[in-house]
Amino acid sequence: VRRAVRLAWRQQRLELLLLLGVAALVVVTALGIAWQTRVVRDEQLACYRETPTAEEGDSLSPCHAHDLKLDPLQAAAGVAKVGVIGVPILLAVFTGVPIVARELEGRTAHMTWSLSRSRLRWLVLRAAPPLAVVAVASVAVGVAGDVLTHAAPWVEGSDPGFEDWWSRGPQVAVRATAVFGVALAVGALLGRQLPAVLVTGGATLALFMAAFFVLDGWMQAAAEPVPIAPTTIVSGKIYGSGWRNDATGELLDDVEADLAGIWDEDDLNEEGMPRGYTMYFLMVPSHRYGEFVLRESALFASVAGLTIVTSAWIVGRRRPA
Amino acid sequence: VLASVAGVALLAAAMLWFAVQLRMLVAAEPGCPDPHAYVPGCEAFVQRFQGMSGWAQGLLYLSWGAPFGMGLVLGVPIVAREVEGRTAGMTWTLSRSRARWLAGRIAFAALVLVALLAIVVLASGQLAAAIVPNLQLERDFTWIGRRDWLIVARGLAALGIGALVGTLVGRQLPGLLAAGFASVLLFTGMSLAMDRWNETLAIITDPYATPDGFVDGSLGLGGAIELPSGELVPYAEITADEQYQDETGAIYTRWDEETGQADPDSFVGWDRVRIIPGQQYQVVLARDSGVTLGVGMVVIGGSLVAVVRRRPA
């Protein structure tokens, strides 16, 4: 195993150094922004506590100066989140593609495969070290993204729900593993590095778009009506809203409610809201975040498994040139 | 090359399709002259138009990214593939000179690149005109660099960076990665430098002089405060604590609780914006394209020097 790791390092040293450097930069930047955001936000909250008449966010507030510090931090956080999404994908593509493609392109596959006990064993020994690096680095990046999301001024220790779905948590690593599998398979299939990088880029885009639509479909199907009172604080992914007839429990969407005439002036209560009706959000509450992370991770893990098995099959069957 | 041709063909086809669809939408509603204005009776048309133009604008982002992607993908392997495949020694020996060999290869790649990016420029120009039919885009900074010849200049510069880095690194994938990072650094630096240069074309205007605070077609460079002395200072110098602005753009730093208005004694100055007028669009475009092309030529020259000096393996 040590020999396999050393060989993988020698062959992909430059890519790994560049990308791990960028990954480290993203982690350090994200953690630094999160730290500074908390520091400034704590100062701002202390300021609000000392001036109880001021309203938060009011431009006339004496604590407005802290907003001037928070705004650039939030802008920087946005850039760091792009890094959290992009760097694991780049790492996966640039380490996955050349494993087989370089040997085929350099016409060394024949010799390399002949010297191994089996092609499968060769592939496992060659792919495992970079895959481990991709997974570990992506977990680090994902965790840093999670810290960044939880440090946002509006979160304040509460549940961020489905916010920053693509740029936080260990699921970033599961996605990167799937991209690695795709890169490995495409590299083995095409046998040339640059075209394989381009095709993998397109395939990754298609994979993420498909995952987005599948996940959105799951969430829409799981959305449930949550009654809302004026003082209720809700967190989750909202797909729509409407009104519930309190007497019958019938749910009307906003258009149906309009047509049913619930806004007739005679039927409004003293707060100007429809009498006998309660507003509801059609939403997936944020406490179901973990469930959907697991579902999405299962999807990407399946893709990873399938593509890695396909790569093994291609390597076992294809001509070495 | 094939991937670039396929990509450009798809992109141009999609752009032209959207352009035709948007023009047909406008032509079908002669009573609604501006698809971006909510005029009574035109709501459904505006909603349909903006829904479609939202997707179409996504394509303009692709035309911004195309020159970088295509330039690097075509430029990096020119030397790197030969070095990596250990064929450089033979190829260079068979040529009259290495520089001549590289010049020929770069010329071919540049020709393909210019032809493909010219198609992107023409298609994105048509699309932009269809999205904003009421703007005079030849003197308007909207989507600069996504619909004009700056695309071609950037592509050639990216090709040069790709060729240089590919020559230095001598391997395709690490070369592509390193060239990507180098491009980000170089183009960011160039953009910052050009911003400073283009600021010489800026004028100061009163945002309260126009109904929506904008001057048509101009490029906004940010706000500033004009002091009674006529001096312009950045907001950051004044807003150490807080500031209040009235409906005429006058800026104060204290609030008078008794009168419920800003304290007149705390008057600082007037809100102003710095803009480059839309009439200067062609000048800025020529400057940006010229500098970008110049940088491209320099890096191509660098790759010629590098290929002469480097070992073939």
Side-chain angles (χ1 to χ4, degrees), chain A residues 11 60 102 192-194 197, chain B residues 77 81 84 171 173 244:
Chain A
Q11 288 202 316
L60 303 181
R102 183 184 292 159
R192 280 178 60 201
Q193 296 177 79
L194 268 192
V197 164
Chain B
R81 183 182 292 155
E84 195 170 24
R171 282 171 56 200
L173 282 199
Y244 313 102

Side-chain angles (χ1 to χ4, degrees), chain A residues 42 162 170 297:
Chain A
D42 285 346
F162 294 88
S297 298

Side-chain angles (χ1 to χ4, degrees), chain B residues 169-188:
Chain B
V169 174
R171 282 171 56 200
Q172 294 179 77
L173 282 199
L176 185 63
L177 208 52
F181 289 134
S183 297
V184 170
L185 290 177
L186 193 65
F187 281 104
T188 304

Side-chain angles (χ1 to χ4, degrees), chain A residues 8 34 38 64 68 89 139 147 164 176 182 244 254 259 284 288 292 313 315:
Chain A
R38 283 190 176 147
H64 177 63
L68 297 176
I89 293 174
V139 166
V147 172
D164 296 337
V182 172
R244 185 190 66 189
D254 285 326
L259 293 174
V284 186
R288 295 186 70 178
F292 283 95
W313 183 78
V315 166

Side-chain angles (χ1 to χ4, degrees), chain B residues 241-264:
Chain B
D241 294 320
E242 63 246 37
Q243 51 147 308
Y244 313 102
Q245 204 163 310
D246 69 14
E247 63 279 4
T248 65
I251 296 167
Y252 304 86
T253 57
R254 275 198 308 277
W255 187 257
D256 189 338
E257 295 292 346
E258 286 181 13
T259 61
Q261 288 182 329
D263 181 355

Side-chain angles (χ1 to χ4, degrees), chain B residues 26 29 48 54 80 102 114 121 148 171 207 245 258 287 299:
Chain B
V26 173
E29 298 283 348
R48 257 199 334 273
L102 182 61
V114 169
V121 171
D148 41 45
R171 282 171 56 200
Q245 204 163 310
E258 286 181 13
R287 281 183 179 186
V299 284

Side-chain angles (χ1 to χ4, degrees), chain B residues 148-169:
Chain B
D148 41 45
W149 293 99
L150 187 53
I151 292 174
V152 177
R154 283 176 175 161
L156 288 171
L159 177 79
I161 294 169
L164 176 61
V165 176
T167 305
L168 294 174
V169 174

